[in-house]
Every structure is written in structure tokens, then in C-alpha cells.
Amino acid sequence: MASLACSPGLTLAPFRRMYGDVHDVLLTDSFFEIPQRLDEAPTREDPEARVLQVIAMPNRTRFEAAVAQWLDDTEFDSLPDEMRDHVSFQAIVQDGVAVVPLIAAHLRRTPSFLFLALEEIFGEDPVPEDAYGNLRTTVSAWLRWLQH
Amino acid sequence: MASALGVHERLIAEFPKLAETAYQLTSERTDKYNCIAWAAGDDGYWWWPGRFWPKGVPAAVTKVAFSKAFAERGYVECDVPDLEEGFEKVCLYTKLGRPTHAARQLPDGSWTSKLGKNVDISHELEGLRGNKYGQPALYMRRPRSAELEAQAPSDDESIAGT
């Protein structure tokens, strides 16, 4: 059975809304494995990889395109208000918790202001005050919060 | 810089008036600090209202709030961007009345800017006027001696998360 993992606190509802009657989705604590799994070509010998790809690839492709556009268009912006106003950012946030693992994977690869999407999605701010103003420690605080 | 040509092309695309004015790259790309921090003399933090911002200054993206933020660093509003002996100036750009960017004047009268997450440049004020940052809208100055007296913001208890 495929295991589309989900981090604690997340639900399957967004996946079911997007992909319909998905039965073989499990809640596990290893959601962050998905991007690595998706890089593997599905094979007959590994049906799990195929199922994961069917479930998550369309979402991931759209997400990566939106992030790339957003990062490029806001490269010269300094203030988060401007970054939040961008149409691609709004599209990312609109996908809600479904894209959280993709955001986390992206932030792990490349720390960026994409953490602002997590603020919007969760309405939380787990960043300690002494990390404010430092992008990398801010991103680290968010990744720790997502895992715990 | 290995990718200098690409950087110039990107800058001109974003700020077309740079092609008509003098400017120079003065740093590599970094997201460690932003334009507001750089104008205030801080290359260690990303300043923004509500997060890393002078205590007691309104956490708002307004000209008034940004003026107060620079006032905390010893600046007072002035009328013109012209070089004045003994003074250091900052310029706030606004677009539709909202602050978008800040630049700091260098001793030779040119200006230095951090461009978002990208590079630092020295430039003319006119070079960054346009669709991205809008136009120069506020000038402030302080005695150059105040620059030497200013503490590093990371050690300054008046600058913190708010």
C-alpha cells in the first residue's frame, strides 16, 4: 500500500478534495520524504512510487512553477508586504496544507522568504524573537516547528 | 564576478534608468540584509516593520513610520538630496505613497543601495526611479560624526523584534 505521508497536525481532507477517492493514503510522520520519492522514476517493481507520483506530482509541478515565478518577480523586493501581494504567492497559500511538505522541502534546499506562506497557512509565528531579522534562523525555526 | 553580465542585464531589466545613469556593483548577491538595514548602516539583519524594527516606532509600512525609524538612527528630514559637507543622507523611495526602498548617500555624493535579495550597487538616485521602487520621496540627514557614534544594530537594544 502506498504511504503518502502527512506531518502531525495535517489532515487528508485537502488531498481528497484535490484527488477524489484516494484510499491508499496513510498518515505517517515522514511526510518530508515525499520530494525525494518523487524524484525516483516509478517502476512496476515499485508500485508505491507510482502511486505517490500520481497523487502528488501535479501539485508539485504547479507549486514549483509558482515558487520559481514568485522568487524571480520578488528578487528586488525588501518588504514582506510586497512579497505577499504577488499572485503566485497567493496561489501557493490558496493550496493550504496540501503544499506544506513541498514548502518545507523547498526551504530545506534553499532558505527563502517562502516561510511567509507558512505564516499565512497556519496563522502562527513560531519564530523566537531573537531570530527575527535573520532569514536562516527564521527558516530553521519554521522547519523545527513543522517537525514537532 | 563570474556572472556579472547576467546581473547587469537583470538590473537593467528591472531598473531601466540604470542604463542611462552611472552605477556599479559593489557586492555579491546576499539575502542577509535588506535595503532598509543597509541604508541604516546595518549589514547583518533584515529590517521590517513588526519584526526587526526600532522599538517604539510604529510597525507600519508608511512614510511616517520609516521616517521615525531613521530618526532613531539620528536622521532628521531635509529638503534636498544634494551632498552637504559634514552630513550623511538617506533617501526613501515610495510607490503609491508606500515605502519600497531606501538608499544611503556616500561621501562622494553617489548613493548606495541593497536591491532586495540581490546585490549592492552605487548609483544615482534617478537610476532606481521607475515601476519597481517608484520615486525618491523623502530625504533625511545626520552629521557624519553620528555615523561613527552609532552602535552596531545587533548590539543595540533599541532595535529588536517587536
Side-chain angles (χ1 to χ4, degrees):
Chain A
M1 178 176 291
S3 58
L4 179 59
C6 197
S7 66
L10 301 185
T11 74
L12 294 177
F15 296 102
R16 292 207 165 101
R17 279 200 297 275
M18 283 190 296
Y19 303 113
D21 190 17
V22 176
H23 297 292
D24 51 356
V25 176
L26 299 178
L27 276 173
T28 78
D29 58 0
S30 59
F31 202 177
F32 301 108
E33 298 300 321
I34 290 176
Q36 285 73 40
R37 295 287 310 191
L38 288 173
D39 290 334
E40 299 172 9
T43 64
R44 286 181 183 281
E45 293 72 33
D46 189 359
E48 181 176 310
R50 183 164 54 246
V51 172
L52 287 173
Q53 195 168 43
V54 167
I55 291 173
M57 270 304 273
N59 198 37
R60 186 191 190 203
T61 302
R62 189 180 60 197
F63 169 82
E64 293 293 351
V67 170
Q69 187 70 56
W70 177 67
L71 289 175
D72 192 57
D73 287 352
T74 61
E75 172 71 5
F76 296 98
D77 289 341
S78 277
L79 298 171
D81 290 27
E82 297 158 343
M83 303 178 210
R84 288 192 186 99
D85 286 346
H86 193 280
V87 64
S88 293
F89 181 84
Q90 295 298 325
I92 294 165
V93 169
Q94 203 162 28
D95 279 343
V97 294
V99 293
V100 167
L102 300 179
I103 293 173
H106 201 284
L107 287 174
R108 277 207 319 274
R109 289 196 306 271
T110 312
S112 73
F113 284 85
L114 191 55
F115 76 85
L116 294 170
L118 297 174
E119 286 186 355
E120 297 286 324
I121 291 168
F122 290 107
E124 298 275 352
D125 179 16
V127 181
E129 195 172 295
D130 62 6
Y132 282 173
N134 184 313
L135 178 62
R136 275 154 184 78
T137 53
T138 294
V139 167
S140 294
W142 265 108
L143 292 175
R144 279 197 305 276
W145 185 83
L146 287 172
Q147 287 177 320
H148 299 294
Chain B
M1 279 173 227
S3 59
L5 183 61
V7 173
H8 284 292
E9 288 170 341
R10 181 72 202 277
L11 291 178
I12 298 299
E14 202 73 46
F15 307 101
K17 284 187 179 291
L18 283 179
E20 307 162 10
T21 56
Y23 79 97
Q24 277 191 315
L25 300 186
T26 54
S27 81
E28 298 285 349
R29 183 189 185 283
T30 176
D31 54 21
K32 192 175 177 186
Y33 55 93
N34 66 352
C35 64
I36 310 302
W38 181 244
D42 180 357
D43 64 357
Y45 291 86
W46 197 279
W47 288 33
W48 89 65
R51 290 299 175 93
F52 197 78
W53 201 235
K55 283 185 175 172
V57 174
V61 185
T62 64
K63 204 162 84 169
V64 171
F66 278 62
S67 174
K68 287 182 177 176
F70 281 107
E72 290 291 315
R73 308 293 292 171
Y75 289 94
V76 297
E77 293 190 21
C78 60
D79 294 330
V80 293
D82 304 1
L83 183 64
E84 291 184 57
E85 181 86 21
F87 287 94
E88 179 188 61
K89 294 188 176 183
V90 292
C91 170
L92 186 69
Y93 288 72
T94 65
K95 184 178 177 182
L96 302 175
R98 286 167 58 85
T100 55
H101 179 70
R104 171 166 43 89
Q105 194 174 42
L106 296 169
D108 67 358
S110 66
W111 296 77
T112 179
S113 281
K114 172 67 161 60
L115 303 177
K117 299 102 184 164
N118 211 278
V119 297
D120 299 350
I121 63 169
S122 61
H123 62 98
E124 301 172 23
L125 283 184
E126 190 66 13
L128 297 182
R129 181 193 293 268
N131 189 52
K132 190 69 180 174
Y133 291 158
Q135 63 283 319
L138 178 70
Y139 308 110
M140 301 181 76
R141 71 177 193 178
R142 72 178 180 184
R144 286 218 173 263
S145 57
E147 174 189 1
L148 301 174
E149 292 166 7
Q151 293 177 298
S154 55
D155 300 327
D156 186 346
E157 291 180 354
S158 69
I159 306 285
T162 51

